[in-house]
């Protein structure tokens, strides 16, 4: 038995969440429903504008690991924080949630710890404004071989693809894990990230990955067209396992050419933050525990439904209990 069932690598970001209306977004020049990268001055302005802030450790893959920790799996996280107040808060919060934070906070004069200002409108849409800080400097030297080789599954965050050192870290983690008999996969994360690095994404998926998870927009962005079924076929031709979430239209899973479509119940979200992250947590729990694909997909849907029923990107209920209530465990 390996030390970790799932190890993730991604941005270590402190989420700062508040509620607002559409007029506030317009007033502040915030594009609704997407993630924007911002610089220090903009980060300070938006932070000062937030009322009734809720602070929590975040980052896409880190949120997924929190869901897996909720489910009782052995998890580790490869990320980079500064030894400032936010960095120490982040590292402790991850450990308190049951995930090994394998890289100690970095001392010295480097960039500050990353943070994301998230504005949630009454329709549940979240508008994310992210200052990457030190997290964007994560590189292959931050990937311990003893962690990568002791993982059954590794999960990579597409946002880190914006720098060459992030790509190198991905490849080192994936190859070390796979050489030791594990599985490597990626969350595409963002269609704009794909547009900046399309060929690199496709090369990584084809040559280094055992599975890929993305939503409809992210899958389409790989090929720059509007034919989702054709795009699903193209990705599944180069990767053994493809998972595509389509919001209220359900989930499509294609494993070794066999397609499974899973319907979902439409609900009005309280906060859509973390829906994709917790879907990944439920699905990866199924993958790690040997569930079939319909069951793993439904686990993902149950976890996503739980997280959009409240503020925040991490589960509040016992997910395993919810799986049992739905006949999944």
């Amino acid at each position: 038995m390996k030390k970790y069932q799932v190890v993730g690598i991604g941005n270590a970001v402190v989420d700062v969440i508040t509620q607002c209306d559409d007029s506030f977004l317009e007033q502040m020049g915030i594009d609704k429903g997407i993630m924007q990268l911002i610089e220090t001055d903009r980060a300070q302005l938006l932070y000062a504008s937030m009322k009734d802030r809720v602070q929590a450790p975040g980052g896409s893959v880190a949120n997924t690991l929190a869901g897996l920790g909720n489910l009782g799996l052995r998890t580790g996280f490869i990320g980079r924080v500064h030894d400032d107040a936010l960095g120490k808060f982040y590292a402790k919060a991850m450990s308190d949630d049951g995930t090994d934070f394998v890289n100690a906070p970095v001392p010295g004069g480097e960039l500050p710890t990353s943070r994301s200002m998230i504005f949630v409108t009454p329709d549940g849409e979240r508008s994310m404004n992210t200052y990457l800080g030190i997290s964007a400097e994560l590189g292959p030297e931050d990937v311990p071989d003893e962690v990568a080789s002791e993982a059954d599954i590794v999960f990579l965050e597409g946002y880190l693809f914006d720098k060459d050192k992030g790509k190198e870290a991905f490849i080192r983690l994936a190859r070390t894990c796979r050489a030791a008999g594990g599985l490597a996969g990626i969350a595409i994360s963002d269609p704009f990230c794909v547009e900046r690095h399309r060929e690199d994404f496709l090369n990584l998926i084809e040559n280094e990955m055992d599975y890929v998870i993305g939503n409809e927009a992210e899958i389409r962005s790989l090929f720059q067209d509007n034919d989702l079924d054709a795009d699903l076929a193209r990705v599944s031709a180069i990767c053994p396992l493809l998972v595509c979430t389509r919001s209220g239209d359900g989930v499509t899973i294609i494993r070794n050419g066999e397609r499974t479509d899973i319907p979902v119940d439409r609900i009005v979200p309280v906060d859509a933050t973390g829906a994709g992250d917790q879907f990944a947590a439920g699905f990866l729990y199924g993958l790690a525990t040997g569930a079939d694909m319909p069951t793993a997909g439904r686990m993902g849907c149950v976890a996503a439904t739980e997280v959009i029923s409240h503020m925040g990107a991490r589960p509040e209920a016992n997910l395993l209990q919810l799986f049992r209530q739905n006949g999944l465990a």
Side-chain angles (χ1 to χ4, degrees):
M1 184 174 66
K2 293 188 176 182
K3 182 176 182 179
Y4 301 107
Q5 289 164 290
V6 181
V7 167
I9 182 171
N11 284 306
V13 183
V14 178
D15 285 342
V16 187
I17 307 170
T18 192
Q19 293 179 311
C20 70
D21 56 25
D22 287 341
S23 63
F24 178 86
L25 297 182
E26 184 176 353
Q27 177 186 348
M28 299 300 296
I30 298 170
D31 290 336
K32 183 175 180 178
I34 67 170
M35 192 281 288
Q36 292 180 290
L37 297 178
I38 58 175
E39 299 299 329
T40 305
D41 291 346
R42 177 71 169 165
Q44 292 172 341
L45 172 66
L46 292 181
Y47 185 84
S49 74
M50 303 177 86
K51 297 180 180 179
D52 300 320
R53 297 181 292 253
V54 176
Q55 181 174 293
S60 179
V61 163
N63 289 337
T64 296
L65 292 172
L68 290 167
N70 178 290
L71 285 160
L73 294 197
R74 305 182 305 279
T75 57
F77 180 59
I78 297 170
R80 194 171 177 86
V81 298
H82 192 258
D83 68 344
D84 52 18
L86 282 180
K88 293 173 182 176
F89 161 78
Y90 191 96
K92 182 178 185 301
M94 290 295 292
S95 296
D96 288 347
D97 283 343
T99 293
D100 283 352
F101 191 80
V102 302
N103 306 96
V106 179
E110 288 201 46
L111 294 167
T113 296
S114 310
R115 70 287 312 267
S116 181
M117 277 64 71
I118 303 173
F119 297 86
V120 183
T121 43
D123 58 3
E125 283 289 339
R126 85 278 196 206
S127 305
M128 304 170 65
N129 298 266
T130 303
Y131 170 64
L132 288 179
I134 194 174
S135 186
E137 298 304 310
L138 188 145
E141 68 278 3
D142 296 305
V143 179
D145 286 344
E146 64 272 18
V147 173
S149 62
E150 279 294 314
D152 290 327
I153 298 171
V154 294
F155 190 41
L156 289 61
E157 181 179 309
Y159 287 127
L160 277 178
F161 239 52
D162 271 319
K163 290 195 175 183
D164 287 342
K165 61 174 63 178
K167 298 173 187 176
E168 293 168 8
F170 277 11
I171 291 172
R172 177 171 179 173
L173 178 61
R175 290 180 178 175
T176 305
C177 173
R178 297 177 89 195
L183 298 176
I186 188 169
I188 296 177
S189 295
D190 184 75
F192 298 106
C193 192
V194 172
E195 289 172 9
R196 293 189 292 270
H197 307 282
R198 183 170 289 107
E199 290 305 315
D200 285 339
F201 262 108
L202 287 170
N203 286 334
L204 184 80
I205 290 168
E206 181 171 10
N207 298 308
E208 311 286 353
M209 298 291 102
D210 299 294
Y211 67 92
V212 58
I213 300 175
N215 64 31
E216 182 175 356
E218 292 159 359
I219 298 297
R220 283 178 169 171
S221 68
L222 288 169
F223 302 104
Q224 298 176 284
D225 62 33
N226 291 314
D227 190 341
L228 179 62
D229 283 336
D231 294 341
L232 293 174
R234 293 168 77 176
V235 177
S236 62
I238 62 173
C239 187
L241 175 56
L242 165 65
V243 184
C244 177
T245 60
R246 294 179 286 122
S247 190
D249 293 327
V251 177
T252 296
I253 301 172
I254 304 176
R255 188 177 201 180
N256 297 324
E258 182 177 345
R259 176 166 174 161
T260 301
D261 289 296
I262 300 166
V264 297
D265 295 326
R266 291 177 177 267
I267 65 170
V268 177
V270 173
D271 174 14
T273 307
D277 303 337
Q278 295 311 318
F279 172 85
F283 178 81
L284 289 177
Y285 176 82
L287 187 65
T289 57
D292 58 33
M293 289 299 96
T295 299
R298 289 178 61 205
M299 287 175 168
C301 293
V302 169
T305 298
E306 190 282 336
V307 82
I308 66 174
S309 68
H310 57 77
M311 289 287 290
R314 299 188 173 193
E316 294 181 351
N318 183 307
L319 293 181
L320 191 56
Q321 188 174 56
L322 291 179
F323 290 173
R324 290 180 179 132
Q325 290 172 4
N326 284 272
L328 301 175

